[in-house]
Amino acid sequence: MLSSISRLMDTAVGIPGTRLRFGADSVLGLVPILGDGAGALVGLYIVNEARRLGLPREKISKMIGNVAMDSVVGSVPLLGDLFDVYFKSHRRNVQIILDHFGVLPEELQRKR
């Protein structure tokens, strides 16, 4: 489920003819303050799930840093929206969880 959320937020839509992908986080970021706040709430949900799964504090701290970076830089008009397309904090944080448990992203796709 966390992988699906991160995909929706960070890479749901591809730009034809390029390797660029973006998601709801980039679109929400176009709405001043509320959009970045909504993206941060989703990011904090992923961090909380990682905490519930027992990830160590260092990894939780890194994940919180990713959410904070996305929220702070993402709130800058235009530059922040471009940043959201490239930074993908939700995917980074889900990858931290997968790495912790030694799960490969391909393994998640096979189980659907």
Side-chain angles (χ1 to χ4, degrees):
M1 180 165 145
L2 294 179
S3 182
S4 297
I5 291 171
S6 74
R7 188 176 307 107
L8 172 68
M9 292 300 289
D10 290 337
T11 61
V13 179
I15 299 173
T18 71
R19 296 184 69 211
L20 287 178
R21 298 189 69 77
F22 65 94
D25 194 30
S26 297
V27 176
L28 287 170
L30 295 172
V31 179
I33 301 170
L34 294 176
D36 293 308
L41 287 175
V42 173
L44 291 174
Y45 170 76
I46 293 171
V47 171
N48 188 55
E49 289 301 304
R51 181 196 59 79
R52 289 183 51 215
L53 290 168
L55 267 70
R57 285 183 184 214
E58 317 74 66
K59 291 182 182 182
I60 298 295
S61 295
K62 184 173 183 169
M63 292 174 73
I64 290 171
N66 287 339
V67 172
M69 174 81 84
D70 188 30
S71 298
V72 171
V73 178
S75 67
V76 176
L78 297 177
L79 174 66
D81 300 318
L82 253 169
F83 178 77
D84 279 341
V85 171
Y86 291 99
F87 188 65
K88 303 183 186 328
S89 67
H90 303 93
R91 286 194 62 193
R92 288 173 188 259
N93 286 345
V94 168
Q95 191 61 53
I96 290 171
I97 296 169
L98 296 177
D99 289 347
H100 178 76
F101 291 107
V103 176
L104 298 173
E106 304 84 50
E107 293 176 19
L108 295 176
Q109 292 180 357
R110 276 189 263 147
K111 292 182 182 178
R112 286 187 196 176

